[in-house]
Amino acid sequence: MMMKHRSHPLWKAFVVHRISGLALALFLPIHFIVLGLALEGAESLNSALRFSELPFVKAAEVFLVLLLAVHLLGGIRILILELTQLSWDQRALSRSAFGLSVAIAGIFLWSAV
Amino acid sequence: MKTKAKHLQVTIDRFDGESHYQTTHEVPTRDNQTVLDVVTWIQQHDDPTLSYRFACRVGMCGSCAMNINGEPKWSCRTHVNKVVDSGLKLTISPLRNMPILRDLSVDMTQFFDKWTQAVGYFVPTKTKDDPLPAILPDSRDRAKANQSIECINCGICYSACDVVAANDAYLGPAALNRAWTLMNDERDGGSKERLEAVSSDAGCHNCHSQHGCSTYCPNLLAPATSIAGLKRQTLLNVLPWGSRDD
Ligand code: HEM
Ligand code: SF4
Ligand code: SF4
Ligand code: FES
């Protein structure tokens, strides 16, 4: 089955939104575990925080910021589309949302190194 | 014309009621040739068993839709030179999301049944003895309905929709688009049951706003925007202060 009918920006926006949503859902439990360690005492939190200094963990964090920004801004775009009657150009809006997300993740990366 | 000597390489997805297979055909190119012309040429000169539908040949009746190089389009108004590249390859298959009867003819029964399910029919509030209500062309509701009328029931949006592909019960963009035009029809009295129908499990909230429907509708309608309107209306309906979407 050819999938050419999917080669338009808003279908891609849907995929990005779903993947980022699912990835966030996977990440959040881990995030809460780390926060939970803070309640269990300083030592385990410290080792967890030391873990978060590792370069590949840093890279993963930048990626997560990207995911969150993409999902948040993309989600706002969908809400504007569905809940208001503003007839903005959705294709341009989804591209801008993605661009802005990359910029946000870029700033995070820049401040992290 | 120098193009006359060239031939299109056409591949068609076939179904004879039992098995699926493909046939290939060499079709001479013509100026201003449409995909419907190609299919008709094949049936008349190469394979009389090829089954397909058309009626008006001018984009009015909505019966000639098929997947052309992977995209759902009306074949009578799709020019070959707009869809083939220099390789002159054309792939034609039936619309998706509907059972295939034979070759390029699909069974649209469920597609139309869903219009009824979505209360996509006019519910009169007056009799023929009452005076006709005056609806100003620039009134708010008329303007909203305007964006989504002129649907030719071609099924292209339905075929483009991945949510229909994933959920057989989903009413789909065409039926929901029709429901939205009626929601904005002052003369219609079916809003309550229609709103219930479109907010059912099979209804508008299945839509992920992927805009496949609006991308491919040959009449440039925007079913996705209509569905967003229905989503707003169903939402307003559960809020204590909201009842009308304006
Ligand atoms: C930050 C604020 C957020 C906003 C504004 C937002 C917005 C949205 C919207 C509007 C949708 C519906 C998309 C659709 O109809 O296809 C959605 C889907 C989803 N969201 Fe979020 N969301 C947010 C945060 C999150 C978080 C933190 C998670 C992870 C736990 C998450 C996980 C998901 C998932 C898994 C989906 C389903 C994706 C799909 O159906 O394609 N979201 N979100
Ligand atoms: S916008 Fe909604 S109805 Fe239209 S193709 Fe996408 S999922 Fe289907
Ligand atoms: S909304 Fe457009 S694509 Fe869908 S059936 Fe009507 S005319 Fe065809
Ligand atoms: S044959 Fe009527 S729309 Fe194409």
Side-chain angles (χ1 to χ4, degrees), chain A residues 10 15 17 22 25 31 41 46-48 54 63-64 67 77 83 88 92 109 111-113:
Chain A
L10 295 184
V15 173
H17 199 80
L22 291 174
H31 184 62
N46 272 341
S47 62
L54 296 172
F63 185 62
L64 281 163
L67 285 181
R77 175 191 70 83
L83 296 181
W88 290 344
L109 176 65
S111 66
V113 290

Side-chain angles (χ1 to χ4, degrees), chain A residues 6 8 11 14 82 84, chain B residues 71 162 209-210 216 231-232:
Chain A
R6 293 176 176 167
H8 58 92
W11 199 85
F14 162 77
E82 293 189 350
T84 77
Chain B
E71 294 180 288
D162 280 334
S209 294
Q210 292 167 356
Y216 287 108
K231 287 180 181 173
R232 271 197 310 279

Side-chain angles (χ1 to χ4, degrees), chain B residues 1 5 28 86 92 105 116 130 133 145 149 159 191 197 200-201 226 235 240:
Chain B
M1 299 281 141
S86 54
I92 303 175
S105 311
T116 319
D130 293 310
I149 52 178
S159 175
S191 285
S200 71
D201 282 353
S226 302
L235 195 63

Side-chain angles (χ1 to χ4, degrees), chain A residues 1-8 10-11 14 18 77-78 81-85 90-91, chain B residues 69-72 91 96 144 160 162 208-212 215-216 228 231-232 235 245:
Chain A
M1 166 61 71
M2 273 194 284
M3 293 298 177
K4 200 173 168 206
H5 69 279
R6 293 176 176 167
S7 56
H8 58 92
L10 295 184
W11 199 85
F14 162 77
R18 172 155 291 185
R77 175 191 70 83
I78 296 170
L81 160 73
E82 293 189 350
L83 296 181
T84 77
Q85 298 190 56
Q90 287 293 322
R91 288 160 186 239
Chain B
N69 284 350
E71 294 180 288
T91 310
R96 295 193 314 155
K144 270 199 265 175
D162 280 334
H208 286 284
S209 294
Q210 292 167 356
H211 282 237
T215 302
Y216 287 108
K231 287 180 181 173
R232 271 197 310 279
L235 195 63
D245 180 16

Side-chain angles (χ1 to χ4, degrees), chain B residues 27-40:
Chain B
V27 181
T29 57
R30 298 269 183 274
D31 290 334
N32 302 317
Q33 191 174 25
T34 66
V35 173
L36 185 62
D37 294 336
V38 170
V39 174
T40 302

Side-chain angles (χ1 to χ4, degrees), chain B residues 149-160:
Chain B
I149 52 178
E150 308 292 351
C151 168
I152 58 171
N153 312 356
C154 63
I156 286 178
C157 54
Y158 191 79
S159 175

